[in-house]
Amino acid sequence: MVAPSPERYGAVAQALHWLIALLIAAMFGLGWFMTSLPIGQQKFELYQLHKSLGITILALVLVRLAWRLVKGAPAWPPGMRPLERRAAGLAHAALYGLILAQPVIGFLQSNAANFPVVLWERWPLPALIGSNQPLAERLLGLHGLMAFVLLLLVALHVLAALRHHFWLKDGVLQRMLPRLGARP
Ligand code: HEM
Ligand code: HEM
């Protein structure tokens, strides 16, 4: 059942959006920094952190999608043309697809490369696929490529949000932000 369209994103949806955005930004920095390091303890530890954070992001995205299914999302602003609505809908779906697929591919890559994934140094996660070096290399390439596509899409998403805020002034950014000050 689809919930009725709320006026704005609720506190939980907002908190999840900004927390996930922040963690993904950290993952880009971490991903590119850790791969540039020479082999050693620091590199190993940062890889473990990257994997644990990535799996945590996956869990948060699943919670966020479940929450969205229950609570729904605000309707598009009335001024948005059908083509713009379609583009925004596709961009949001692609963002969800990428932030789900990226950690899954990272995880499968670790399985195929025969590196165990131990969540927060405590919980070893079972491998979903067996050791397979050629596959590990292909997944590695895909993980790197998808990181660039995600970065590009996030940049477009941010530009779109700023266009709504400063140019169209249609309140789209505000509905993803806490309501500050007194309510009428
Ligand atoms: C939203 C989640 C994730 C994002 C945004 C992300 C992003 C990145 C980025 C930007 C890189 C550097 C790519 C490069 O140098 O080509 C990277 C590398 C890597 N990621 Fe992720 N990642 C995510 C989740 C994961 C997860 C869950 C795992 C494993 C459980 C993982 C495993 C790896 C590994 C092993 C590398 C290093 C590859 C190498 O040695 O060249 N990632 N990731
Ligand atoms: C890694 C970074 C980000 C990701 C993955 C991301 C992803 C998403 C997704 C999937 C939605 C659709 C929400 C839904 O309807 O369920 C959304 C909405 C939104 N995002 Fe982001 N976002 C990111 C960063 C940002 C940033 C930095 C801004 C602001 C400058 C922003 C502004 C917004 C706004 C205003 C909406 C609501 C759009 C609407 O009301 O239709 N996002 N974001």
Side-chain angles (χ1 to χ4, degrees), residues 67-183:
W67 190 260
R68 188 192 202 283
L69 219 63
V70 174
K71 293 284 179 178
W76 302 117
M80 255 173 107
R81 283 171 295 176
L83 193 67
E84 285 174 333
R85 293 174 187 216
R86 214 174 145 67
L90 276 175
H92 287 174
L95 280 169
Y96 274 129
L98 281 170
I99 58 180
L100 278 174
Q102 184 69 347
V104 171
I105 288 167
F107 181 70
L108 293 176
Q109 186 275 326
S110 293
N111 291 170
N114 208 15
F115 284 121
V117 179
V118 184
L119 191 58
W120 299 114
E121 296 175 21
R122 263 185 113 128
W123 299 286
L125 300 181
L128 295 179
I129 55 172
S131 168
N132 180 339
Q133 278 311 319
L135 178 64
E137 264 155 47
R138 282 216 296 278
L139 290 174
L140 200 64
L142 191 60
H143 195 68
L145 179 72
M146 282 187 30
F148 271 114
V149 178
L150 178 58
L151 194 62
L152 205 74
L153 210 59
V154 168
L156 281 176
H157 177 67
V158 171
L159 285 177
L162 296 179
R163 174 174 173 261
H164 279 282
H165 188 66
F166 291 110
W167 191 346
L168 303 174
K169 300 185 181 10
D170 56 7
V172 161
L173 183 58
Q174 283 93 327
R175 61 195 203 168
M176 193 44 110
L177 292 172
R179 216 194 300 249
L180 301 174
R183 290 194 56 191

Side-chain angles (χ1 to χ4, degrees), residues 23-35:
L23 293 179
I24 287 180
M27 287 295 277
F28 281 122
L30 193 53
W32 280 310
F33 176 63
M34 70 185 193
T35 45

Side-chain angles (χ1 to χ4, degrees), residues 33-97:
F33 176 63
M34 70 185 193
T35 45
S36 73
L37 290 175
I39 292 182
Q41 186 64 18
Q42 192 194 13
K43 187 179 181 98
F44 174 79
E45 279 168 11
L46 291 182
Y47 267 58
Q48 303 318 306
L49 176 63
H50 181 86
K51 292 178 187 186
S52 292
L53 214 49
I55 299 293
T56 306
I57 291 174
L58 176 62
L60 288 171
V61 175
L62 290 174
V63 170
R64 179 172 169 193
L65 278 171
W67 190 260
R68 188 192 202 283
L69 219 63
V70 174
K71 293 284 179 178
W76 302 117
M80 255 173 107
R81 283 171 295 176
L83 193 67
E84 285 174 333
R85 293 174 187 216
R86 214 174 145 67
L90 276 175
H92 287 174
L95 280 169
Y96 274 129

